[in-house]
């Protein structure tokens, strides 16, 4: 398995958001009309988990030397995982990505 060194970002939890950009409903912006997703676009997901990840969950067979917390981030903390769009369906409504994820994510 190979992970890029920029696949995971960590940050502080915003318990009391003060900026207009971090208050609901402005936590994200919808893509503008006419936006077309293309192969190669960068994408990200936020993963929050309350459980430990096993090497089996991560698809790692035969080795337990990989520190899964370094790869997937700690539990009970939002982690931003990034990757690229690798394929887009014919109707353009679904896509595949190469974000490192684990079983149950």
């Amino acid at each position: 398995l190979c992970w890029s060194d920029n696949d995971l970002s960590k940050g502080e939890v915003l318990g009391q958001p003060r900026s207009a950009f971090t208050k609901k409903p402005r936590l994200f912006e919808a893509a503008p009309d006419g936006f077309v997703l293309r192969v190669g676009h960068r994408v990200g997901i936020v993963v929050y988990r309350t459980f430990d990840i096993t090497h089996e969950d991560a698809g790692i067979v035969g080795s337990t030397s990989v520190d899964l917390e370094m790869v997937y981030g700690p539990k009970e903390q939002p982690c931003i995982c990034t990757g690229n769009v690798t394929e887009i369906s014919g109707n353009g409504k679904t896509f595949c990505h190469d974000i490192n994820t684990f079983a149950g994510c």
Side-chain angles (χ1 to χ4, degrees):
L1 292 171
C2 178
W3 290 278
S4 174
D5 62 355
N6 64 352
D7 280 348
L8 181 73
S9 298
K10 299 177 185 177
E12 292 182 33
V13 176
L14 297 174
Q16 296 291 326
R18 295 190 178 127
S19 167
F21 293 108
T22 55
K23 287 183 178 179
K24 291 180 181 180
R26 297 211 167 118
L27 297 176
F28 68 92
E29 286 188 36
D33 290 339
F35 174 79
V36 178
L37 187 63
R38 305 241 187 252
V39 170
H41 279 177
R42 296 286 293 165
V43 292
I45 59 171
V46 176
V47 177
Y48 183 89
R49 61 185 170 80
T50 58
F51 56 90
D52 291 319
I53 300 170
T54 67
H55 285 79
E56 183 181 5
D57 292 336
I60 299 172
V61 180
S63 172
T64 57
S65 64
V66 176
D67 183 351
L68 296 177
E69 189 169 294
M70 290 297 297
V71 176
Y72 298 112
K75 68 179 179 181
E76 298 179 358
Q77 178 179 322
C79 298
I80 302 168
C81 304
T82 61
N84 295 297
V85 173
T86 59
E87 186 178 346
I88 300 174
S89 66
N91 64 9
K93 294 186 178 189
T94 58
F95 64 92
C96 296
H97 59 76
D98 63 0
I99 297 173
N100 287 331
T101 55
F102 52 88
C105 178

